[in-house]
Amino acid sequence: MARVQLRGVSRKDHFVNKVKEALSNMQPGSWLLGGGWNNDFWGGELPMASWIDAITPHNPVWLTRMDGHMGLANSLALNVAGISNNTVDPEGGSVVRNSVGDVSNFCTVVEIDFQFTLKKTEVALSTSYVTFFFSHICVSFALEKRTKNILIDSLISMSSLAEPTGLLIDSAMTHVLSCIPEVSVEERREALLRASDHALMRGVTTVVDFGRYFPGASPELSWEDLSDVYRWADLSGKMKIRVCLYFPMETWPRLHELIKQAGRKLSQWIYLGGMKSFADGSLGSNSALFHEPYVDEPSNHGLQVADTDMLYNMTLSSDKAGLQVAIHAIGDRANDLILDLYKSVASKNGVRDRRFRIEHAQHLAPGTAARFGEQEVVASVQSNSEMGVQWISPHTTADLFLGNFGGIINTKGRVLWNAIGHAMYWDLSSCFTEGGFFLEYARPNLCLVSGFKDVALGPSPDHLLDDADSATKKLGVGRAHGGSYLFHSLLAGNAQLALGSDWPVADINPLGSIKTAMKRVPPGWENAWISSECINLNDALNG
């Protein structure tokens, strides 16, 4: 397998040329992997398989977007994965398709039930119109007011007109990922050593790793890394940085049993943190879940990538077992959903120092920022977005307590800054009976830490730099400016803000994230984006 780095590419022809260069000396049938692309850099147009099909007739290609929630496959990779016009979107994911244009000639209207569901495609009828959605297609039919029932007998045939573009979102990515040869244990071990060196160069000595886990991925991957990589490095004396590990929430019984047997601290290098899950996707992939639709895609509110009841039951069980829970939520609707869920779980299980976390807390509805403080939820946020070494999970965090930025843990053991991804900063001994060093990670977005005790937010200051332009295009000026990266508002509501980087999605450099949280000036801008949400140096360090 070969790899291509697409971070910073700002033109379509450069994108294609990068792929072409990477193909040199590749054997037919070998996979070309890579990513880091950001379509906002070249005006917003999403790449398609047709961009690269002519130069990749003999090699399957998979290229992930910089946020890890979307990827591009060439046509050969789509064929290998069995993706065709008839592929149904999986729960929590989407196969992006071409527009089918005018489909009115393909539909027949007859009388049937007033409302029905066809292969997860809702058909809703009002007194004058019926509208249905198939994938990303929205079709409306004018009806007589007296018409009560309809049947669209050609709905399924319409799907054959909507060809996949090559883009897969969230859980739909597993179609292709399951076909890519597994990276060897030796390669993963080497990646850990290289990633550790990279982190140490930035002064980062501890990271929080959420594992190779995303909606639809196998929950075993994180456990394989614990046994095959981390424990190998620990036993062979090759660990260079301390790690706090989170695992897919569906595996909570397994982590609970391991902690009962071995404790949270497996060694001076490895700490067992808690459970991780997802509520939605990302803004850049139009899969973050919002109350209102995307301005640039009026029929799309985003994706809820986990069933609410299942997520509630897993959170309830994890919390009852004493495990900390961190859930990814970017859109305003996703954040409200998780805050409601956390409130219900806390009420059911009773008072304790649980420190729930929301990873990102990126876009909030009016009044939601105050809920973090009220519920003592940690906001784990991020502001920068630079790709680093790509193996250590798409959701990695780190804290600093040595090196040039040493002393970031105060005399009470409270972590004051998490450089990599989403760290929480508390007196850890109050959270776990074993004491010792522990740092939590919140995931891309900064992590707020001032006031919450039970819920942790984690927005990354650095994501802000990438989203300043795209948020306005996708959400409109009012929503983007009124609810994005509300660092100051969260602190004003006594929320615990935990700042992180979300490396490798964002840069691992903590100094850059501190600057971003304070200044909020994206590249090429003269003034701050939403200056009222800037925070001071002391608050940034505490985050």
Side-chain angles (χ1 to χ4, degrees):
M1 293 185 292
R3 295 184 181 273
V4 57
Q5 177 56 261
L6 298 172
R7 175 161 291 277
V9 171
S10 58
R11 288 168 45 182
K12 173 183 176 181
D13 60 335
H14 288 175
F15 183 104
V16 175
N17 286 336
K18 283 273 194 178
V19 173
K20 188 175 182 178
E21 291 171 4
L23 288 167
S24 61
N25 301 321
M26 285 188 64
Q27 295 295 319
S30 296
W31 281 82
L32 174 62
L33 307 178
W37 56 268
N38 185 347
N39 51 299
D40 292 324
F41 287 178
W42 58 74
E45 180 186 6
L46 287 168
M48 296 188 292
S50 59
W51 285 20
I52 58 176
D53 277 346
I55 60 173
T56 60
H58 306 300
N59 297 91
V61 179
W62 176 247
L63 308 170
T64 57
R65 193 177 186 276
M66 50 83 65
D67 57 16
H69 287 269
M70 174 188 282
L72 174 68
N74 68 345
S75 292
L76 181 56
L78 293 177
N79 290 334
V80 170
I83 296 174
S84 68
N85 301 12
N86 297 320
T87 300
V88 177
D89 288 349
E91 182 177 354
S94 176
V95 177
V96 180
R97 306 169 194 274
N98 287 311
S99 172
V100 298
D102 183 8
V103 298
S104 58
N105 292 332
F106 297 90
C107 301
T108 302
V109 178
V110 299
E111 289 195 356
I112 56 159
D113 294 334
F114 183 75
Q115 273 194 327
F116 64 95
T117 298
L118 181 56
K119 289 195 174 181
K120 297 185 178 179
T121 300
E122 282 195 6
V123 179
L125 178 65
S126 68
T127 56
S128 58
Y129 291 91
V130 59
T131 300
F132 65 83
F133 298 89
F134 188 83
S135 295
H136 291 290
I137 307 162
C138 174
V139 186
S140 297
F141 293 89
L143 302 175
E144 296 292 336
K145 288 186 176 181
R146 62 178 178 273
T147 303
K148 295 182 180 180
N149 306 309
I150 67 165
L151 171 65
I152 304 171
D153 61 8
S154 300
L155 180 59
I156 297 304
S157 68
M158 288 172 52
S159 67
S160 64
L161 303 175
E163 296 182 353
T165 67
L167 290 171
L168 306 176
I169 299 175
D170 286 308
S171 65
M173 298 189 297
T174 58
H175 285 305
V176 168
L177 292 175
S178 63
C179 300
I180 297 174
E182 177 66 33
V183 176
S184 70
V185 172
E186 289 73 22
E187 289 176 300
R188 286 154 53 206
R189 290 172 177 175
E190 176 60 25
L192 172 61
L193 301 181
R194 289 188 292 108
S196 299
D197 288 340
H198 182 74
L200 289 170
M201 288 176 63
R202 298 288 193 168
V204 176
T205 60
T206 300
V207 302
V208 176
D209 185 5
F210 278 136
R212 294 182 291 156
Y213 175 68
F214 62 92
S218 169
E220 290 301 312
L221 297 177
S222 298
W223 289 97
E224 290 173 3
D225 287 339
L226 170 61
S227 60
D228 297 341
V229 179
Y230 285 121
R231 283 191 153 170
W232 163 83
D234 190 21
L235 293 174
S236 60
K238 297 182 182 295
M239 287 293 292
K240 301 178 182 181
I241 58 175
R242 284 179 273 192
V243 296
C244 176
L245 305 178
Y246 278 69
F247 298 87
M249 189 147 56
E250 55 262 48
T251 67
W252 73 265
R254 191 169 174 179
L255 181 61
H256 183 227
E257 185 62 29
L258 178 59
I259 290 175
K260 285 199 303 182
Q261 293 176 0
R264 291 184 178 271
K265 187 177 179 181
L266 299 184
S267 73
Q268 66 170 321
W269 299 102
I270 303 174
Y271 192 91
L272 302 176
M275 313 313 300
K276 170 70 184 295
S277 192
F278 290 81
D280 65 349
S282 71
L283 179 71
S285 301
N286 279 27
S287 58
L289 185 64
F290 287 94
H291 291 291
E292 299 296 326
Y294 286 85
V295 170
D296 62 345
E297 197 176 350
S299 65
N300 179 26
H301 289 250
L303 290 173
Q304 182 176 332
V305 300
D307 176 75
T308 302
D309 290 339
M310 180 180 69
L311 196 58
Y312 170 79
N313 289 329
M314 290 192 302
T315 303
L316 185 71
S317 298
S318 298
D319 178 68
K320 191 172 183 178
L323 302 172
Q324 186 175 35
V325 173
I327 299 178
H328 163 114
I330 288 183
D332 55 14
R333 183 176 172 186
N335 277 276
D336 285 341
L337 185 154
I338 299 306
L339 286 168
D340 290 343
L341 183 151
Y342 280 162
K343 184 177 181 179
S344 180
V345 169
S347 175
K348 180 75 171 180
N349 285 343
V351 177
R352 77 174 186 88
D353 186 11
R354 51 177 45 90
R355 301 180 188 184
F356 280 142
R357 298 165 50 140
I358 290 183
E359 308 306 320
H360 298 301
Q362 191 165 304
H363 303 284
L364 305 178
T368 297
R371 296 185 61 188
F372 283 92
E374 293 168 0
Q375 294 182 220
E376 299 183 320
V377 172
V378 178
S380 173
V381 301
Q382 300 76 42
S383 58
N384 292 332
S385 292
E386 293 297 331
M387 184 68 72
V389 180
Q390 294 191 19
W391 173 74
I392 289 277
S393 137
H395 312 125
T396 307
T397 34
D399 78 309
L400 305 177
F401 63 99
L402 294 177
N404 294 332
F405 214 55
I408 302 256
I409 294 184
N410 65 15
T411 56
K412 294 184 179 180
R414 180 176 182 177
V415 181
L416 298 182
W417 170 256
N418 171 1
I420 297 227
H422 315 16
M424 311 257 180
Y425 312 129
W426 305 295
D427 180 353
L428 303 174
S429 61
S430 69
C431 200
F432 301 104
T433 57
E434 296 205 22
F437 175 77
F438 170 67
L439 172 60
E440 287 192 294
Y441 155 66
R443 203 202 128 104
N445 275 19
L446 269 207
C447 294
L448 304 172
V449 186
S450 318
F452 305 83
K453 284 180 79 177
D454 291 2
V455 182
L457 296 174
S460 165
D462 296 340
H463 282 301
L464 177 159
L465 301 179
D466 284 338
D467 287 344
D469 289 315
S470 62
T472 300
K473 295 176 183 177
K474 294 177 179 296
L475 305 179
V477 174
R479 289 164 61 194
H481 286 230
S484 301
Y485 297 92
L486 303 182
F487 302 159
H488 185 272
S489 295
L490 286 162
L491 291 174
N494 292 320
Q496 184 151 0
L497 187 65
L499 301 180
S501 72
D502 195 28
W503 183 63
V505 173
D507 192 4
I508 195 174
N509 182 8
L511 298 180
S513 292
I514 290 172
K515 178 181 177 181
T516 300
M518 295 173 60
K519 302 298 184 181
R520 297 176 68 105
V521 180
W525 290 39
E526 294 183 358
N527 301 313
W529 182 45
I530 320 176
S531 59
S532 61
E533 293 299 331
C534 292
I535 60 178
N536 61 39
L537 176 60
N538 185 62
D539 287 335
L541 290 174
N542 284 334

